[in-house]
Amino acid sequence: MPEGVQSATDLPLKRPREEENQEANGCAAMEVNNGGGGGALEELPECISAVIPGWFSEISPMWPGEAHSLKVEKILFQGKSDYQNVLVFQSSTYGKVLVLDGVIQLTERDECAYQEMIAHLPLCSIPNPKKVLVIGGGDGGVLREVSRHSSVEKIDICEIDKMVVDVSRQFFPNVAVGFDDPRVNLHIGDGVAFLKAVPEGTYDAIIVDSSDPIGPAKELFEKPFFASVAKALRAGGVVCTQAESIWLHMHIIEDIVANCRQIFEGSVNYAWTTVPTYPSGVMGFMLCATEGPSVDFKKPINPIDADISHVKTYGPLKFYNSEIHSAAFCLPSFARKVIDAKAN
């Protein structure tokens, strides 16, 4: 078992309530109970999520008035890192599930829809990417997808939470397989600080696989961070960042688009995909290019689905293809109206 990783049966029955932290967050404590008779109990903020006997329900102020629930077969891991609560459970319909601070990050069944799109939308839009940086992505899924590109020579990843890496390697080996690629260099630390130290023009592509803009990921949605990203990219380099749901977070998306249009002098586009276990069932991506060689994100020029050399190592693509790449930029009218308005 990886260092610092505990199974549910190794955890104490209950942790201290950490009253000061909860009061600062405006959240009341709630028990997490796997309903399995003698299972571990865990304290989590009420405004985030709960595991009641037999079910996990995702509750957050990021999506008020609704909750998505999955049936829990068994809790596999509970722990608290220096940054967040970490939970892994076996669901009845989506396989194993990774949860950070009460928010589902991936499930074995639908992780492909997110990992493949956030990686291949940018990398298939430019010819022969060689140096790639991943911010976040401690589960290794983005690394797995980046590693499919034979032109890539170096992959740096900066993940703030080592426990996420260790837990993913133990419980999600088919996702964390990306860490095994010899081109990968893992840096445990703050992605914002890492980027500030990167020499100008280092990377062809940067992929920001962040959680929601609360807690440790908040800075990854702010203008200074995007400026650091642009500086670290070569001329005509590209970035793809997680950019929330058009059904829930248009106010956040407006800010992201406005910031990116001020920072990036090349193309700026918004795309989306379907992920059933993410709030509202969809997830968006912001794709931007620096000034330089023209990048048309809507027309992939480096089609990974035409090259099957990676299949033996990582398995076939389950979601991404060239057609869905182009279709991802087709927005519903209400979202297009808001996003286009920020172009003026």
Side-chain angles (χ1 to χ4, degrees):
M1 185 174 294
E3 181 181 355
V5 174
Q6 297 173 290
S7 68
T9 54
D10 293 330
L11 293 172
L13 182 63
K14 185 176 289 190
R15 277 208 314 270
R17 294 179 62 89
E18 302 174 345
E19 297 287 356
E20 293 182 2
N21 289 339
Q22 290 167 5
E23 290 175 4
N25 293 330
C27 301
M30 169 180 289
E31 284 188 349
V32 175
N33 189 341
N34 68 4
L41 296 177
E42 183 75 8
E43 300 286 352
L44 285 178
E46 184 177 25
C47 67
I48 295 180
S49 288
V51 176
I52 60 175
W55 290 88
F56 168 83
S57 293
E58 187 177 77
I59 304 166
S60 171
M62 287 288 293
W63 38 93
E66 59 186 271
H68 183 219
S69 299
L70 291 176
K71 188 174 182 180
V72 178
E73 297 292 337
K74 183 180 180 181
I75 291 180
L76 303 174
F77 172 83
Q78 294 180 69
K80 184 175 177 62
S81 73
D82 292 337
Y83 301 96
Q84 55 204 340
N85 292 285
V86 181
L87 171 69
V88 179
F89 66 88
Q90 180 72 43
S91 72
S92 62
T93 52
Y94 279 85
K96 290 194 287 288
V97 181
L98 173 65
V99 182
L100 300 181
D101 271 349
V103 178
I104 293 172
Q105 302 300 307
L106 68 84
T107 77
E108 289 181 304
R109 180 178 175 185
D110 67 5
E111 56 90 11
C112 59
Y114 178 82
Q115 316 278 19
E116 292 181 18
M117 293 293 276
I118 198 173
H120 301 313
L121 286 176
L123 295 182
C124 291
S125 297
I126 57 175
N128 301 314
K130 297 184 184 304
K131 295 181 180 179
V132 179
L133 170 64
V134 179
I135 300 291
D139 53 69
V142 173
L143 293 178
R144 180 192 66 201
E145 298 307 315
V146 173
S147 296
R148 293 182 187 270
H149 291 262
S150 59
S151 67
V152 172
E153 299 172 353
K154 179 181 181 182
I155 310 169
D156 288 329
I157 175 171
C158 187
E159 162 62 48
I160 198 168
D161 196 339
K162 186 176 183 294
M163 182 180 284
V164 174
V165 176
D166 292 339
V167 167
S168 298
R169 280 177 157 166
Q170 180 182 358
F171 294 104
F172 301 90
N174 291 334
V175 178
V177 65
F179 286 107
D180 297 334
D181 192 290
R183 295 169 290 178
V184 170
N185 305 290
L186 172 61
H187 307 268
I188 299 296
D190 179 7
V192 175
F194 182 89
L195 260 182
K196 288 179 180 178
V198 169
E200 186 173 350
T202 296
Y203 296 104
D204 299 294
I206 295 175
I207 299 169
V208 185
D209 178 15
S210 68
S211 51
D212 295 305
I214 52 177
K218 184 177 180 181
E219 284 186 276
L220 304 184
F221 289 79
E222 296 173 347
K223 191 173 179 180
F225 176 75
F226 289 123
S228 296
V229 168
K231 175 178 173 289
L233 288 170
R234 63 159 172 82
V238 296
V239 59
C240 183
T241 181
Q242 184 271 102
E244 300 299 327
S245 167
I246 56 175
W247 290 108
L248 299 172
H249 306 126
M250 283 307 302
H251 59 295
I252 297 175
I253 294 168
E254 279 188 86
D255 291 341
I256 295 173
V257 173
N259 287 336
C260 288
R261 291 199 186 279
Q262 293 178 44
I263 298 295
F264 294 94
E265 299 183 10
S267 54
V268 174
N269 287 269
Y270 186 89
W272 59 309
T273 189
T274 63
V275 187
T277 54
Y278 284 176
S280 81
V282 303
M283 178 54 67
F285 307 107
M286 200 74 219
L287 290 113
C288 308
T290 57
E291 186 178 19
S294 178
V295 177
D296 185 351
F297 287 110
K298 300 177 183 180
K299 297 178 180 179
I301 61 172
N302 181 27
I304 189 68
D305 50 327
D307 177 6
I308 62 171
S309 62
H310 54 82
V311 171
K312 184 176 180 180
T313 304
Y314 302 107
L317 291 166
K318 296 180 180 179
F319 192 89
Y320 177 90
N321 56 53
S322 295
E323 290 79 14
I324 208 166
H325 179 125
S326 297
F329 294 90
C330 296
L331 302 176
S333 297
F334 74 88
R336 184 173 61 191
K337 180 179 179 181
V338 172
I339 291 171
D340 287 351
K342 291 299 178 180
N344 301 323

